[in-house]
Amino acid sequence: MKLSSAFSALVLLMLLVSASEAAISCSDVIKDLKPCVSYLVSGSGKPPVACCSGAKALASAVSTSEDKKAACNCIKSTAKSIKMNSQLAEALPGNCGINTPISVSPDADCSKVG
């Protein structure tokens, strides 16, 4: 399956599972992090500028505990479907200069985010 068609399927899936009480939607999370997908799957070194711009936009958009949990759950579900480099994913916030409690990982414990 090509990366773009896999990502399209993930977007559809994420739209179906987004948390209703959060102000941020899973489609917003996906839109912000889409520039990071190829980097997280097969990149190296520093993330692309577009990836960090999206990650920073997401970090500033998640202001409430519900938003942070919704974003975490969206990222967690998406991360399970994409074979990403876990080291790059874990380092993404720091490499983009972002301080966020949201982990980019299929193993994130979203109940502790907030």
Side-chain angles (χ1 to χ4, degrees):
M1 181 181 265
K2 290 185 179 178
L3 183 60
S4 61
S5 59
F7 189 76
S8 296
L10 288 174
V11 169
L12 179 60
L13 176 66
M14 295 302 98
L15 290 172
L16 297 174
V17 296
S18 63
S20 60
E21 67 275 351
I24 192 164
S25 70
C26 199
S27 61
D28 291 333
V29 174
I30 297 290
K31 175 185 60 83
D32 286 339
L33 294 181
K34 186 175 183 178
C36 299
V37 173
S38 62
Y39 168 75
L40 292 173
V41 171
S42 60
S44 62
K46 291 279 184 181
V49 172
C51 171
C52 286
S53 294
K56 287 175 183 175
L58 176 61
S60 64
V62 291
S63 56
T64 67
S65 181
E66 291 82 16
D67 285 344
K68 291 173 186 172
K69 285 183 171 113
C72 179
N73 282 313
C74 180
I75 293 168
K76 180 177 179 175
S77 296
T78 304
K80 286 181 180 179
S81 304
I82 298 173
K83 295 187 182 212
M84 66 176 71
N85 178 320
S86 61
Q87 290 176 326
L88 289 175
E90 289 175 25
L92 182 67
N95 285 339
C96 286
I98 303 166
N99 184 12
T100 179
I102 303 170
S103 173
V104 180
S105 168
D107 302 318
D109 184 354
C110 297
S111 68
K112 294 182 179 178
V113 174

XYZ file of all heavy atoms in Angstrom:
788
model
N 0.846 -1.164 0.000
C 0.000 0.000 0.000
C 0.895 1.232 0.000
O 1.822 1.334 0.777
C -0.900 -0.016 1.239
C -1.846 1.150 1.313
S -2.873 1.124 2.803
C -4.313 0.326 2.173
N 0.632 2.149 -0.877
C 1.423 3.362 -0.958
C 1.170 4.225 0.275
O 0.104 4.190 0.870
C 1.066 4.145 -2.210
C 1.520 3.470 -3.469
C 1.232 4.351 -4.656
C 1.722 3.684 -5.908
N 1.427 4.478 -7.085
N 2.162 5.027 0.613
C 2.074 5.880 1.791
C 0.888 6.831 1.697
O 0.155 7.009 2.656
C 3.379 6.664 1.968
C 3.488 7.545 3.196
C 3.352 6.712 4.463
C 4.806 8.268 3.207
N 0.646 7.410 0.522
C -0.441 8.384 0.399
C -1.811 7.733 0.563
O -2.697 8.296 1.196
C -0.364 9.109 -0.945
O -0.486 8.191 -1.998
N -2.005 6.537 0.019
C -3.299 5.885 0.184
C -3.473 5.384 1.619
O -4.580 5.416 2.154
C -3.480 4.750 -0.821
O -2.471 3.788 -0.682
N -2.402 4.970 2.245
C -2.481 4.560 3.651
C -2.828 5.761 4.517
O -3.656 5.669 5.425
C -1.148 3.957 4.104
N -2.242 6.901 4.208
C -2.524 8.099 4.978
C -3.969 8.545 4.780
O -4.634 8.935 5.732
C -1.558 9.232 4.598
C -1.664 10.407 5.514
C -1.101 10.355 6.774
C -2.343 11.543 5.134
C -1.213 11.428 7.644
C -2.462 12.613 5.992
C -1.887 12.558 7.248
N -4.466 8.442 3.551
C -5.861 8.807 3.279
C -6.813 7.928 4.085
O -7.809 8.414 4.631
C -6.169 8.668 1.789
O -5.393 9.575 1.053
N -6.506 6.641 4.156
C -7.332 5.736 4.944
C -7.287 6.120 6.422
O -8.300 6.062 7.123
C -6.864 4.299 4.745
N -6.113 6.541 6.891
C -5.981 6.949 8.288
C -6.784 8.207 8.582
O -7.387 8.335 9.645
C -4.513 7.198 8.619
C -3.663 5.948 8.702
C -2.206 6.321 8.875
C -4.119 5.073 9.836
N -6.792 9.139 7.638
C -7.563 10.358 7.838
C -9.036 10.017 8.017
O -9.696 10.522 8.922
C -7.358 11.339 6.661
C -8.346 12.490 6.729
C -5.937 11.873 6.661
N -9.543 9.129 7.169
C -10.932 8.717 7.277
C -11.196 8.047 8.624
O -12.166 8.357 9.306
C -11.302 7.767 6.129
C -12.726 7.237 6.128
C -13.733 8.374 6.038
C -12.926 6.288 4.959
N -10.307 7.158 9.021
C -10.442 6.481 10.309
C -10.422 7.479 11.457
O -11.238 7.408 12.373
C -9.310 5.461 10.489
C -9.261 4.745 11.831
C -10.485 3.854 12.017
C -7.991 3.945 11.954
N -9.522 8.433 11.396
C -9.404 9.402 12.481
C -10.638 10.295 12.569
O -11.027 10.710 13.649
C -8.161 10.270 12.301
C -6.853 9.516 12.411
S -6.647 8.655 13.977
C -7.128 7.015 13.532
N -11.251 10.595 11.445
C -12.477 11.380 11.479
C -13.584 10.634 12.215
O -14.421 11.238 12.876
C -12.939 11.715 10.059
C -12.071 12.713 9.305
C -12.523 12.816 7.853
C -12.121 14.078 9.965
N -13.552 9.329 12.131
C -14.588 8.520 12.760
C -14.387 8.365 14.264
O -15.342 8.155 15.003
C -14.642 7.132 12.112
C -15.027 7.110 10.642
C -14.898 5.693 10.082
C -16.438 7.627 10.451
N -13.137 8.469 14.730
C -12.876 8.209 16.143
C -12.520 9.458 16.947
O -12.126 9.356 18.092
C -11.753 7.161 16.335
C -12.158 5.833 15.792
C -10.440 7.640 15.759
N -12.665 10.633 16.360
C -12.288 11.840 17.094
C -13.216 12.063 18.293
O -14.389 11.743 18.266
C -12.291 13.061 16.172
O -13.586 13.298 15.681
N -12.659 12.624 19.327
C -13.424 12.856 20.556
C -14.385 14.018 20.367
O -14.006 15.089 19.934
C -12.463 13.138 21.710
N -15.630 13.816 20.729
C -16.654 14.825 20.465
C -16.588 16.015 21.426
O -16.993 17.104 21.070
C -18.040 14.183 20.523
O -18.257 13.633 21.797
N -16.089 15.831 22.646
C -16.096 16.939 23.595
C -14.906 17.886 23.411
O -14.887 18.959 23.960
C -16.140 16.422 25.038
C -14.908 15.694 25.501
C -14.893 14.223 25.142
O -15.903 13.691 24.668
O -13.841 13.583 25.314
N -13.928 17.484 22.668
C -12.763 18.330 22.454
C -13.037 19.358 21.360
O -13.784 19.102 20.425
C -11.567 17.463 22.078
N -12.418 20.512 21.513
C -12.574 21.558 20.502
C -11.751 21.245 19.260
O -12.088 21.671 18.172
C -12.159 22.904 21.087
N -10.665 20.500 19.418
C -9.820 20.151 18.281
C -10.305 18.821 17.696
O -10.654 17.906 18.430
C -8.336 20.081 18.683
C -7.466 20.008 17.431
C -8.059 18.920 19.616
C -6.015 20.324 17.691
N -10.340 18.753 16.395
C -10.775 17.514 15.747
C -9.561 16.713 15.293
O -8.463 17.260 15.133
C -11.659 17.832 14.539
O -10.888 18.403 13.510
N -9.782 15.450 15.083
C -8.698 14.602 14.622
C -8.245 15.051 13.227
O -7.071 14.966 12.907
C -9.144 13.140 14.615
S -7.766 11.986 14.585
N -9.165 15.558 12.438
C -8.769 16.041 11.107
C -7.817 17.233 11.224
O -6.912 17.385 10.405
C -9.985 16.383 10.251
O -10.743 17.409 10.844
N -7.993 18.065 12.262
C -7.064 19.172 12.495
C -5.675 18.642 12.876
O -4.655 19.152 12.409
C -7.562 20.087 13.622
C -8.795 20.880 13.246
O -8.995 21.146 12.035
O -9.573 21.221 14.162
N -5.656 17.628 13.722
C -4.392 17.021 14.139
C -3.681 16.432 12.926
O -2.478 16.670 12.720
C -4.633 15.932 15.213
C -3.342 15.198 15.546
C -5.251 16.542 16.462
N -4.414 15.679 12.118
C -3.850 15.053 10.919
C -3.316 16.122 9.962
O -2.217 15.993 9.426
C -4.912 14.189 10.199
C -5.361 13.033 11.088
C -4.406 13.689 8.859
C -4.359 11.955 11.318
N -4.088 17.181 9.771
C -3.679 18.265 8.856
C -2.360 18.876 9.323
O -1.450 19.092 8.521
C -4.764 19.324 8.794
C -4.404 20.551 7.962
C -5.462 21.633 8.021
C -5.752 22.165 9.368
N -4.933 23.186 9.944
N -2.237 19.119 10.616
C -1.024 19.739 11.138
C 0.189 18.825 11.046
O 1.303 19.288 10.803
C -1.222 20.176 12.596
C -2.090 21.413 12.731
O -2.217 22.174 11.742
O -2.653 21.629 13.829
N -0.021 17.532 11.252
C 1.115 16.605 11.276
C 1.380 15.893 9.948
O 2.369 15.167 9.837
C 0.914 15.573 12.393
C 0.934 16.149 13.801
C 0.762 15.037 14.830
C 2.214 16.926 14.078
N 0.538 16.102 8.955
C 0.735 15.442 7.658
C 2.132 15.684 7.079
O 2.741 14.755 6.548
C -0.345 15.873 6.676
C -0.290 15.112 5.373
C -1.452 15.468 4.460
C -1.380 14.629 3.196
N -2.503 14.916 2.308
N 2.693 16.906 7.192
C 4.045 17.116 6.652
C 5.132 16.305 7.371
O 6.263 16.243 6.903
C 4.284 18.614 6.846
C 2.948 19.217 7.032
C 2.095 18.154 7.663
N 4.794 15.667 8.483
C 5.775 14.894 9.247
C 5.793 13.411 8.877
O 6.725 12.694 9.252
C 5.474 15.004 10.740
S 5.544 16.687 11.396
N 4.785 12.933 8.149
C 4.640 11.494 7.927
C 5.856 10.878 7.247
O 6.427 9.913 7.751
C 3.344 11.170 7.153
C 3.290 9.694 6.778
C 2.129 11.541 7.987
N 6.282 11.421 6.118
C 7.404 10.802 5.411
C 8.683 10.882 6.242
O 9.484 9.950 6.247
C 7.605 11.414 4.027
O 7.910 12.781 4.131
N 8.867 11.972 6.979
C 10.027 12.089 7.861
C 9.988 11.012 8.945
O 10.990 10.356 9.228
C 10.066 13.480 8.495
C 11.061 13.586 9.632
C 12.428 13.660 9.384
C 10.628 13.598 10.955
C 13.334 13.742 10.427
C 11.528 13.686 12.002
C 12.877 13.756 11.735
O 13.782 13.830 12.769
N 8.829 10.823 9.561
C 8.711 9.849 10.651
C 8.838 8.412 10.166
O 9.241 7.535 10.918
C 7.384 10.036 11.392
C 7.265 11.334 12.181
C 5.852 11.486 12.725
C 8.282 11.388 13.310
N 8.516 8.167 8.905
C 8.611 6.816 8.357
C 10.032 6.518 7.882
O 10.592 5.465 8.177
C 7.598 6.609 7.211
C 7.833 5.294 6.488
C 6.181 6.654 7.758
N 10.639 7.448 7.149
C 11.931 7.134 6.537
C 12.926 8.286 6.557
O 13.880 8.292 5.798
C 11.711 6.696 5.088
O 11.078 7.737 4.352
N 12.734 9.244 7.449
C 13.626 10.387 7.502
C 14.827 10.154 8.387
O 15.032 9.073 8.933
N 15.618 11.191 8.496
C 16.760 11.169 9.407
C 17.129 12.613 9.718
O 16.716 13.531 9.020
C 17.951 10.442 8.771
O 18.378 11.119 7.607
N 17.878 12.797 10.775
C 18.309 14.138 11.143
C 17.168 15.000 11.639
O 16.236 14.523 12.274
N 17.251 16.279 11.314
C 16.238 17.246 11.749
C 14.978 17.124 10.900
O 15.045 16.869 9.708
C 16.781 18.666 11.625
C 17.881 18.985 12.611
C 17.308 19.338 13.952
C 18.401 19.748 14.915
N 17.879 20.076 16.207
N 13.807 17.343 11.511
C 12.551 17.306 10.757
C 12.480 18.472 9.761
O 13.084 19.519 9.990
C 11.468 17.469 11.820
C 12.146 17.414 13.137
C 13.603 17.592 12.929
N 11.730 18.299 8.669
C 11.548 19.397 7.714
C 10.843 20.586 8.371
O 10.090 20.431 9.329
C 10.650 18.797 6.622
C 10.651 17.332 6.843
C 11.042 17.091 8.266
N 11.067 21.772 7.834
C 10.474 22.997 8.366
C 8.950 22.891 8.390
O 8.308 23.277 9.379
C 10.931 24.221 7.541
C 10.173 25.473 7.951
C 12.428 24.430 7.689
N 8.343 22.342 7.317
C 6.882 22.222 7.259
C 6.360 21.319 8.370
O 5.288 21.566 8.938
C 6.441 21.698 5.901
N 7.104 20.293 8.709
C 6.723 19.387 9.791
C 6.726 20.143 11.114
O 5.752 20.085 11.878
C 7.681 18.197 9.834
S 7.491 17.128 11.279
N 7.784 20.859 11.399
C 7.871 21.600 12.658
C 6.822 22.707 12.719
O 6.252 22.962 13.783
C 9.266 22.172 12.851
S 10.493 20.906 13.291
N 6.544 23.341 11.587
C 5.508 24.379 11.569
C 4.155 23.782 11.945
O 3.405 24.361 12.732
C 5.422 25.025 10.189
O 6.597 25.733 9.902
N 3.843 22.611 11.386
C 2.590 21.937 11.711
C 2.541 21.481 13.153
O 1.518 21.617 13.839
N 3.657 20.933 13.636
C 3.719 20.473 15.023
C 3.561 21.646 15.993
O 2.876 21.533 17.010
C 5.030 19.731 15.273
N 4.163 22.790 15.650
C 4.027 23.981 16.496
C 2.591 24.499 16.469
O 2.055 24.915 17.497
C 4.999 25.064 16.051
C 6.433 24.755 16.417
C 7.404 25.782 15.875
C 8.826 25.371 16.222
N 9.829 26.255 15.618
N 1.961 24.467 15.299
C 0.563 24.903 15.189
C -0.333 24.013 16.040
O -1.226 24.499 16.744
C 0.110 24.880 13.729
N -0.079 22.710 15.992
C -0.856 21.781 16.806
C -0.631 22.038 18.288
O -1.586 22.090 19.069
C -0.499 20.336 16.458
C -1.179 19.271 17.304
C -2.693 19.337 17.154
C -0.667 17.893 16.922
N 0.617 22.215 18.685
C 0.934 22.447 20.096
C 0.231 23.694 20.623
O -0.239 23.715 21.767
C 2.446 22.561 20.288
N 0.122 24.727 19.801
C -0.548 25.943 20.268
C -2.072 25.824 20.205
O -2.780 26.549 20.886
C -0.072 27.161 19.477
O -0.425 27.055 18.132
N -2.572 24.886 19.404
C -4.026 24.711 19.269
C -4.631 23.882 20.396
O -5.831 23.962 20.648
C -4.359 24.066 17.928
N -3.827 23.074 21.058
C -4.346 22.210 22.120
C -4.145 22.892 23.471
O -3.120 22.773 24.096
C -3.712 20.792 22.100
C -4.160 20.018 20.895
C -2.199 20.839 22.137
N -5.170 23.625 23.893
C -5.036 24.404 25.117
C -5.711 23.747 26.319
O -5.273 23.927 27.442
C -5.588 25.808 24.904
O -6.926 25.738 24.454
N -6.758 22.971 26.076
C -7.463 22.349 27.195
C -7.015 20.900 27.375
O -6.435 20.293 26.476
C -8.983 22.359 26.961
O -9.284 21.488 25.865
C -9.502 23.758 26.677
N -7.324 20.368 28.518
C -7.013 18.972 28.804
C -7.715 18.048 27.805
O -7.133 17.069 27.334
C -7.436 18.638 30.233
O -7.132 17.311 30.547
N -8.970 18.382 27.463
C -9.724 17.566 26.496
C -9.063 17.607 25.124
O -8.982 16.592 24.439
C -11.178 18.052 26.393
C -12.008 17.784 27.635
C -11.797 18.841 28.732
O -11.248 19.928 28.442
O -12.164 18.553 29.881
N -8.580 18.790 24.717
C -7.892 18.916 23.432
C -6.630 18.061 23.410
O -6.347 17.366 22.430
C -7.482 20.377 23.171
C -8.639 21.259 22.770
O -9.704 20.732 22.393
O -8.476 22.491 22.828
N -5.871 18.117 24.492
C -4.617 17.361 24.564
C -4.888 15.865 24.510
O -4.188 15.119 23.813
C -3.843 17.727 25.829
C -3.295 19.142 25.774
C -2.679 19.560 27.089
C -2.280 21.026 27.030
N -1.857 21.544 28.309
N -5.908 15.402 25.224
C -6.254 13.976 25.196
C -6.747 13.557 23.813
O -6.401 12.482 23.314
C -7.299 13.671 26.266
C -6.707 13.643 27.657
C -7.729 13.262 28.701
C -7.034 13.039 30.016
N -7.311 13.939 31.039
N -7.557 14.408 23.180
C -8.074 14.097 21.851
C -6.930 14.023 20.834
O -6.869 13.099 20.017
C -9.096 15.138 21.416
N -6.011 14.983 20.906
C -4.863 14.979 19.998
C -3.999 13.748 20.248
O -3.559 13.084 19.299
C -4.051 16.257 20.169
N -3.779 13.425 21.502
C -2.986 12.253 21.856
C -3.617 10.984 21.298
O -2.937 10.160 20.687
C -2.840 12.163 23.373
S -1.904 10.717 23.938
N -4.915 10.825 21.506
C -5.596 9.622 21.011
C -5.557 9.541 19.487
O -5.389 8.453 18.922
C -7.034 9.578 21.516
C -7.112 9.118 22.949
O -6.497 8.131 23.335
N -7.854 9.839 23.767
N -5.692 10.661 18.831
C -5.618 10.690 17.375
C -4.221 10.280 16.895
O -4.075 9.437 16.018
C -5.971 12.088 16.873
S -5.917 12.249 15.090
N -3.207 10.888 17.494
C -1.823 10.564 17.126
C -1.524 9.103 17.429
O -0.914 8.401 16.623
C -0.836 11.495 17.863
C -1.000 12.926 17.355
C 0.594 11.016 17.692
C -0.301 13.973 18.210
N -1.971 8.629 18.581
C -1.724 7.239 18.976
C -2.343 6.276 17.971
O -1.697 5.323 17.533
C -2.301 6.989 20.375
C -2.099 5.591 20.887
C -2.640 5.444 22.299
C -2.462 4.039 22.819
N -2.875 3.908 24.213
N -3.591 6.532 17.585
C -4.264 5.654 16.617
C -3.569 5.685 15.265
O -3.393 4.650 14.627
C -5.718 6.076 16.450
O -6.414 5.913 17.654
N -3.180 6.867 14.842
C -2.497 7.005 13.559
C -1.132 6.331 13.603
O -0.741 5.650 12.658
C -2.341 8.494 13.198
O -3.629 9.104 13.196
C -1.710 8.662 11.834
N -0.419 6.508 14.706
C 0.917 5.929 14.847
C 0.871 4.405 14.776
O 1.815 3.776 14.291
C 1.558 6.387 16.152
N -0.220 3.808 15.231
C -0.347 2.346 15.167
C -0.447 1.848 13.730
O -0.102 0.720 13.441
C -1.584 1.884 15.943
C -1.419 1.951 17.434
C -2.667 1.469 18.142
C -2.486 1.539 19.642
N -3.670 1.110 20.364
N -0.937 2.704 12.835
C -1.160 2.307 11.454
C 0.000 2.643 10.527
O 0.009 2.215 9.383
C -2.423 2.983 10.927
O -3.515 2.682 11.757
N 0.936 3.425 10.999
C 2.083 3.819 10.184
C 3.334 3.235 10.821
O 3.561 3.400 12.014
C 2.210 5.361 10.123
C 0.986 5.982 9.483
C 3.456 5.762 9.351
C 0.977 7.501 9.545
N 4.149 2.590 10.024
C 5.397 2.031 10.556
C 6.437 3.129 10.607
O 7.181 3.350 9.666
C 5.863 0.865 9.693
C 4.911 -0.290 9.752
C 5.451 -1.493 9.048
C 4.397 -2.569 9.115
N 4.899 -3.876 9.173
N 6.444 3.842 11.727
C 7.354 4.964 11.857
C 8.558 4.605 12.704
O 8.533 3.650 13.481
C 6.630 6.174 12.437
C 6.159 6.005 13.857
S 5.406 7.494 14.539
C 3.889 7.551 13.645
N 9.592 5.384 12.540
C 10.797 5.256 13.335
C 10.481 5.815 14.722
O 10.270 7.018 14.879
C 11.923 6.037 12.650
C 13.223 6.009 13.418
O 13.244 6.097 14.647
N 14.310 5.901 12.691
N 10.426 4.963 15.721
C 10.004 5.391 17.057
C 10.950 6.418 17.665
O 10.514 7.301 18.398
C 9.841 4.194 17.985
O 11.060 3.509 18.126
N 12.242 6.329 17.356
C 13.191 7.308 17.895
C 12.926 8.695 17.308
O 12.960 9.691 18.026
C 14.622 6.878 17.626
C 15.034 5.671 18.446
C 16.430 5.193 18.094
O 16.853 5.269 16.949
N 17.137 4.691 19.086
N 12.659 8.761 16.002
C 12.349 10.051 15.380
C 11.044 10.610 15.947
O 10.922 11.803 16.194
C 12.234 9.912 13.864
C 13.526 9.665 13.091
C 13.223 9.439 11.619
C 14.487 10.820 13.268
N 10.064 9.725 16.145
C 8.767 10.155 16.660
C 8.893 10.718 18.070
O 8.336 11.772 18.376
C 7.786 8.986 16.633
N 9.618 10.025 18.922
C 9.790 10.482 20.300
C 10.567 11.784 20.373
O 10.321 12.618 21.241
C 10.497 9.410 21.129
C 9.625 8.198 21.397
C 10.373 7.077 22.109
O 11.376 7.369 22.796
O 9.956 5.925 21.981
N 11.504 11.975 19.450
C 12.346 13.167 19.462
C 11.715 14.352 18.733
O 12.217 15.473 18.828
C 13.695 12.847 18.832
N 10.609 14.122 18.022
C 10.021 15.178 17.194
C 9.734 16.472 17.961
O 10.172 17.538 17.525
C 8.755 14.676 16.491
C 8.081 15.681 15.564
C 8.967 15.982 14.366
C 6.730 15.157 15.093
N 9.026 16.431 19.097
C 8.762 17.710 19.789
C 10.051 18.469 20.129
O 10.157 19.665 19.844
C 8.002 17.288 21.044
C 7.358 15.987 20.665
C 8.352 15.308 19.759
N 11.016 17.782 20.686
C 12.279 18.437 21.047
C 13.036 18.942 19.836
O 13.604 20.041 19.863
N 13.040 18.159 18.753
C 13.739 18.569 17.537
C 13.073 19.757 16.860
O 13.698 20.450 16.058
C 13.850 17.402 16.550
C 14.896 16.397 16.977
O 15.790 16.709 17.746
N 14.784 15.176 16.476
N 11.795 19.973 17.171
C 11.079 21.126 16.615
C 11.011 22.281 17.624
O 10.383 23.304 17.352
C 9.665 20.716 16.197
S 9.598 19.715 14.690
N 11.620 22.108 18.785
C 11.625 23.161 19.794
C 10.285 23.352 20.485
O 9.923 24.457 20.856
N 9.556 22.257 20.652
C 8.225 22.313 21.259
C 8.262 21.589 22.600
O 8.793 20.493 22.706
C 7.182 21.617 20.362
C 7.153 22.248 18.983
C 5.801 21.671 20.994
C 6.403 21.413 17.974
N 7.630 22.184 23.590
C 7.466 21.527 24.880
C 5.995 21.137 24.988
O 5.142 21.992 25.192
C 7.870 22.469 26.015
C 7.802 21.795 27.356
O 7.665 20.583 27.463
N 7.874 22.592 28.406
N 5.708 19.857 24.802
C 4.325 19.387 24.839
C 4.238 18.052 25.562
O 5.151 17.240 25.465
C 3.743 19.264 23.409
O 2.404 18.789 23.484
C 4.554 18.314 22.556
N 3.149 17.823 26.290
C 2.976 16.539 26.962
C 2.495 15.445 26.019
O 2.383 14.293 26.411
C 1.915 16.843 28.024
C 1.095 17.923 27.405
C 2.068 18.759 26.608
N 2.204 15.792 24.774
C 1.656 14.831 23.820
C 2.788 14.068 23.154
O 3.682 14.653 22.560
C 0.781 15.526 22.761
C -0.345 16.294 23.442
C 0.231 14.511 21.773
C -1.111 17.212 22.518
N 2.728 12.754 23.256
C 3.739 11.888 22.676
C 3.306 11.418 21.289
O 2.133 11.173 21.050
C 3.926 10.676 23.591
O 4.782 9.736 23.005
N 4.264 11.304 20.386
C 3.996 10.750 19.058
C 4.410 9.284 19.133
O 5.542 8.923 18.844
C 4.793 11.497 17.961
C 4.506 10.908 16.594
C 4.468 12.974 17.991
N 3.459 8.442 19.556
C 3.779 7.044 19.777
C 2.520 6.193 19.798
O 1.488 6.627 20.307
C 4.492 6.892 21.127
O 4.572 5.544 21.510
N 2.618 4.959 19.256
C 1.476 4.053 19.345
C 1.267 3.531 20.771
O 0.234 2.945 21.072
C 1.840 2.919 18.386
C 3.317 2.954 18.281
C 3.719 4.391 18.489
N 2.236 3.764 21.648
C 2.158 3.279 23.020
C 1.885 4.384 24.039
O 1.997 4.172 25.238
C 3.480 2.585 23.389
C 3.802 1.437 22.452
O 2.878 0.678 22.110
O 4.974 1.312 22.045
N 1.520 5.568 23.567
C 1.267 6.699 24.466
C 0.134 6.388 25.428
O -0.853 5.759 25.063
C 0.944 7.946 23.652
N 0.267 6.849 26.665
C -0.804 6.728 27.656
C -1.535 8.061 27.695
O -1.160 8.981 28.432
C -0.238 6.376 29.025
C -1.318 6.151 30.068
O -2.523 6.379 29.759
O -0.976 5.745 31.192
N -2.568 8.184 26.892
C -3.285 9.446 26.740
C -4.085 9.831 27.982
O -4.467 10.986 28.130
C -4.183 9.396 25.511
S -3.252 9.202 23.974
N -4.312 8.889 28.884
C -5.045 9.216 30.110
C -4.204 10.109 31.021
O -4.734 10.783 31.898
C -5.452 7.939 30.853
O -4.304 7.273 31.357
N -2.890 10.121 30.826
C -1.991 10.935 31.662
C -1.697 12.297 31.048
O -0.958 13.082 31.618
C -0.679 10.179 31.901
C -0.871 8.920 32.729
C 0.442 8.227 32.991
C 0.215 6.997 33.839
N 1.453 6.256 34.076
N -2.256 12.560 29.878
C -2.034 13.833 29.196
C -3.067 14.833 29.683
O -4.226 14.523 29.812
C -2.150 13.665 27.660
C -2.068 15.001 26.955
C -1.088 12.719 27.144
N -2.638 16.039 29.922
C -3.623 17.044 30.310
C -3.008 18.105 31.103
O -3.330 19.144 31.344
